[in-house]
Amino acid sequence: MDSVLHGSRILPVLTVPDPATTHLLAEALAAGGARCAEVTFRTPGAVQVLEAMAAHGGLTVGAGTVLTRDQAERAVAAGARFVVSPGYDEEVVAECRELRVPVVPGIATATELMRALRAGCHTVKLFPAEPLGGLRTLRALAAPFPRARFIPTGGIQDSHLASYLADPAVLAVGGSWMATATLLERGDYAEIRRLTAEAVDRSMP
């Protein structure tokens, strides 16, 4: 997963209601310095959004909220370079292995983390990070599993960013605050660009 992120430690998580806006959104994120983005499978047009964003070329695009083998297959066919799931599902992991794309399963407990590590998934998504206890929970999980790397996502805001990124177990931070539903509905791409640039700047060492 490290090679897919290209050193980026910010992962915008996008739930795009209208595929027609994808080009403008991709432009705003790229202009803000984002290198990667996760398009969630929460809307009917998710496949079209993935296709358009992958074709844009300015971002490495992955699919999020992938719950089934079929979704994983459709996501990769649409251009997803990685797959993220909110939980650990053996079939999703197996499908991604067959398709030879990195998969980041979600975990919330030590048991789930052990299953993910046993399956060879050393990068996991702590989800939902903030409701689970945030950085305290992440550190508690990381302590007995030094090989694990985390992409915490869920309820994270810009104000949490520095503390998460300072932890050596954190590979990157995912969040939707850079492109919220309200900003997308308003078509406020200038603000999306500004928030993305701010997050990217804060992620720099």
Side-chain angles (χ1 to χ4, degrees):
M1 189 62 187
D2 303 51
S3 60
V4 174
L5 290 173
H6 304 298
S8 175
R9 304 194 70 199
I10 300 296
L11 183 61
V13 178
L14 313 172
T15 302
V16 185
D18 182 4
T21 66
T22 302
H23 181 76
L24 292 171
L25 176 58
E27 290 284 351
L29 292 169
R35 298 179 186 174
C36 302
E38 174 189 327
V39 175
T40 67
F41 260 65
R42 295 184 185 181
T43 64
V47 169
Q48 290 90 340
V49 174
L50 267 168
E51 287 174 339
M53 197 161 279
H56 178 268
L59 299 164
T60 298
V61 186
T65 321
V66 174
L67 307 178
T68 66
R69 272 184 177 267
D70 177 65
Q71 285 182 333
E73 184 178 2
R74 288 190 290 132
V76 173
R81 296 276 306 280
F82 59 93
V83 169
V84 182
S85 182
Y88 179 79
D89 184 274
E90 292 175 355
E91 291 192 358
V92 170
V93 170
E95 182 68 20
C96 291
R97 289 286 161 75
E98 289 180 19
L99 296 171
R100 299 190 176 186
V101 295
V103 58
V104 182
I107 65 98
T109 67
T111 299
E112 292 167 340
L113 178 54
M114 289 174 70
R115 290 175 65 197
L117 291 171
R118 192 178 303 120
C121 300
H122 296 290
T123 299
V124 295
K125 169 180 175 173
L126 178 65
F127 180 81
E130 282 296 299
L132 283 173
L135 195 54
R136 288 179 62 191
T137 297
L138 188 150
R139 286 172 174 163
L141 287 169
F145 304 104
R147 291 195 304 164
R149 290 296 175 267
F150 296 84
I151 301 178
T153 309
I156 296 176
Q157 301 297 321
D158 184 54
S159 58
H160 305 133
L161 194 55
S163 57
Y164 275 109
L165 291 177
D167 193 285
V170 173
L171 178 64
V173 173
S176 59
W177 80 88
M178 291 160 276
T180 64
T182 300
L183 290 172
L184 290 169
E185 186 178 339
R186 290 202 314 247
D188 194 346
Y189 300 106
E191 182 65 2
I192 290 171
R193 182 176 64 248
R194 185 191 72 79
L195 290 170
T196 302
E198 191 174 79
V200 169
D201 185 61
R202 290 189 180 188
S203 72
M204 297 297 182

